[in-house]
Amino acid sequence: MTNERLKKLQKHALAARRTVISMATGGGCFVGASLSCTDLFISLYFSEANINPNNKKNPDRDYVLLSKGHAVPAWYAVLAEAGFFDRNLLKDYMKPGSHLYLHPNTHIPGIEFHAGSLGQTLAVAAGIAYDQKVSDNTGRVFVILGDGELNEGSIWETLLFIAAKKLNNLVIIIDRNELQANFTTEEVIPIEPIPDKFTAFGFSCLETDGHDFEKLEEAFALARGSEKPAVIIAKTVRGKGIPGIERRADKWFMQVTEHERDQLIRELEQQESR
Amino acid sequence: MNGISSSGNSNNRKADNMTYEELLASEANKNSNLYVLTAENRAAIRNLHTVMKDRFIDVGIAEQTMIGLAAGLAARGRRPVVHALSAFLTMRAFEFIRSTAGLPNLPVVLVGAIPGFLSEANGPTHQAIEDIALMRMIPGMQVFAPSSNDELLESMRLALAADTPSYIRFFAGDAPLEKPIYGSVPEGCWYSEGTDITLITTGFLLHETFKAKALLENTGKSVGILSLPQLSPAPAKAVLKALQSSKKIVAIEDHFETGGLSSIVREVFAENSSLIKIPQPVIHCISLKTKWFEPLLLPDVLEHEGFTGKKLAERILKNE
């Protein structure tokens, strides 16, 4: 990756994080969960996925779906960065008729399927990927799952289907921040070893740093060439970018004053300038 | 039990008609958007995969995944028909139906096999006797309970033509010998009108309802029959007409009393009370009250639960 491209991705990521934090005022939002997957969205929309505001009706386009729907501020922020809509629209967050609430829906440009109930979107993604194959479309599907979401049984029944039908045009990205709601995943219902489980299910399993754009690009390139369906376990940090809230279970959801928001943004920018 | 087949094997061919499987094959030939999905319930669709190839998906025993897939296909502009056992389709996958297909109002057609009494001796786990209530709760969901292969095909055609989701109770038995004097699947089918009693039923119980009518007429009653192959949107006009024309209304259904046909009749009554002359009719609901039905072969279920024509007539006369 050229230095110039890397800088561009970092610039968009910083702007997206600022947007996420801005949404924590008023009714609040899932700040920690969103900052955890912001870089995944940046990497998809600015590097790997063939989807942009000009090709969103093209049958060969790629689909990006978010299954851990509560992280939608990251999606909103990156869609705005990618030009799907004006970032100023987000000022209407939680206002009547804005369709901007705590989980994604298709009223928002760029969002092709709603989410919210964990364990459901993977099957929807599989339906889309299956149809792309049957229809000889070249597009692929990227779906971001939470690590805690792997508790849902429906995920595992859908994995069986994806492997059975060899849907290697579907790429699962696990936002592995090691926290779910209030506790670490291993404290609640241990899910490790995740790679062994996916490998046993017939997936090509890749592990990478979910905040390193170059490494993400490498992982996506491997997924692209995989004969098996691919899963990328993206090691991430809840609250990434703001040291004061990083890795904190209690900063999953945040509701802040405008003053606190400004402090958080300062902290973000100081961290970034280092 | 002439005309009643619960097996789902769609051998009940009418001279001028086709089987359910033939209808799907024919629709698939006409419309390359059609998909059929099943959770390994192939009794009525054994050969479809040879015609539909990749557009026939057997997901194995995974109802939730099946519905999510169907929603993803529908979001791509495809027309998925989902064929599975009613109990597991509507209950195991309820939230998927509600949230992935119902919420965006996607045109997914759900066909539930062995609904109601048709699960025979399988036992309570397999008894879909709350399916109509569950599916009727989902905004925009059309609900059908055909009484014959003819009505099943008509329900399928209506569902496939709609832009909204549908649920169909699968029944591919023969139609009764009597033809409706008027009406249609969405509006309800009138087989006779009566001033003393109107029997309102849905699905295959129409056949027993005819027998009950004959016995009631032997006691000098004037008896009407209104069959409702479509339950949602509720055919309120037909139900209101029944409420306005008979002294007694009997709702007959193989479903829990809450949320199905009995509730529909009572809802129409409550919403239109001022339009119904005093003395207003008595509403008698013959449904499943507080327990699952005795698992037996279908004729024995009908006998044991009091749904044969003879038992129905007795219960109606005794108001039980």
Side-chain angles (χ1 to χ4, degrees), chain A residues 134-240:
Chain A
V134 171
S135 309
D136 289 327
N137 289 135
T138 55
R140 293 186 298 156
V141 184
F142 299 93
V143 57
I144 298 176
L145 306 189
D147 47 3
E149 189 177 4
L150 299 179
N151 290 173
E152 290 281 5
S154 54
I155 295 285
W156 300 93
E157 81 176 41
T158 300
L159 291 177
L160 290 174
F161 176 85
I162 293 165
K165 301 297 175 186
K166 302 183 172 60
L167 300 181
N168 63 351
N169 56 334
L170 174 71
V171 180
I172 297 170
I173 304 146
I174 297 173
D175 183 2
R176 181 72 178 118
N177 60 27
E178 297 182 17
L179 287 164
Q180 60 186 85
N182 310 300
F183 302 98
T184 67
T185 57
E186 303 313 286
E187 275 177 291
V188 184
I189 296 289
I191 51 169
E192 289 292 354
I194 301 175
D196 292 358
K197 291 185 171 100
F198 275 86
T199 304
F201 269 65
F203 281 71
S204 162
C205 190
L206 306 154
E207 289 180 84
T208 195
D209 180 341
H211 300 299
D212 183 321
F213 294 123
E214 290 191 275
K215 286 189 179 156
L216 276 170
E217 220 171 73
E218 284 166 24
F220 280 127
L222 288 172
R224 214 182 305 141
S226 172
E227 276 182 31
K228 293 177 184 173
V231 58
I232 296 174
I233 300 170
K235 301 203 166 163
T236 53
V237 172
R238 185 188 270 184
K240 173 73 179 176

Side-chain angles (χ1 to χ4, degrees), chain A residues 59-61 63 106 112-114 117-121 123-128 130-135 137 153-154 157-159 161 165 167, chain B residues 35 53-59 61-73 75-76 78 92 95-97 99-101 103-104 106:
Chain A
D60 285 322
R61 73 185 178 282
Y63 286 73
T106 54
E112 302 222 47
F113 211 88
H114 64 280
S117 175
L118 299 174
Q120 295 193 334
T121 308
V124 175
I128 293 170
Y130 185 90
D131 188 54
Q132 285 173 322
K133 282 221 160 188
V134 171
S135 309
N137 289 135
S154 54
E157 81 176 41
T158 300
L159 291 177
F161 176 85
K165 301 297 175 186
L167 300 181
Chain B
Y35 272 87
K53 302 193 166 57
D54 287 343
R55 293 186 196 273
F56 179 89
I57 309 175
D58 190 335
V59 300
I61 307 157
E63 288 79 7
Q64 299 179 94
T65 293
M66 174 176 65
I67 298 298
L69 290 170
L73 292 168
R76 290 262 298 168
R78 309 302 177 207
R92 170 66 63 91
E95 194 209 353
F96 272 70
I97 294 174
S99 291
T100 69
L103 205 149
L106 292 169

Side-chain angles (χ1 to χ4, degrees), chain B residues 98-152:
Chain B
R98 181 248 188 219
S99 291
T100 69
L103 205 149
N105 217 21
L106 292 169
V108 173
V109 180
L110 309 168
V111 184
I114 59 165
F117 286 154
L118 301 178
S119 71
E120 299 188 287
N122 276 294
T125 52
H126 285 55
Q127 293 177 7
I129 50 179
E130 50 279 268
D131 55 330
I132 291 168
L134 288 168
M135 293 299 104
R136 216 160 69 85
M137 283 290 296
I138 297 173
M141 177 76 73
Q142 297 195 90
V143 177
F144 300 87
S147 67
S148 65
N149 189 59
D150 294 354
E151 284 185 357
L152 171 65

Side-chain angles (χ1 to χ4, degrees), chain B residues 181-231:
Chain B
I181 48 175
Y182 61 93
S184 64
V185 166
E187 293 167 333
C189 298
W190 288 92
Y191 288 86
S192 60
E193 294 178 353
T195 52
D196 292 320
I197 305 173
T198 298
L199 308 174
I200 306 182
T201 190
T202 184
F204 84 99
L205 286 171
L206 176 61
H207 298 260
E208 295 306 314
T209 303
F210 275 113
K211 296 176 196 164
K213 172 181 180 273
L215 294 169
L216 291 167
E217 282 175 339
N218 288 345
T219 69
K221 307 276 189 203
S222 160
V223 183
I225 290 186
L226 170 62
S227 170
L228 302 179
Q230 182 164 1
L231 295 163

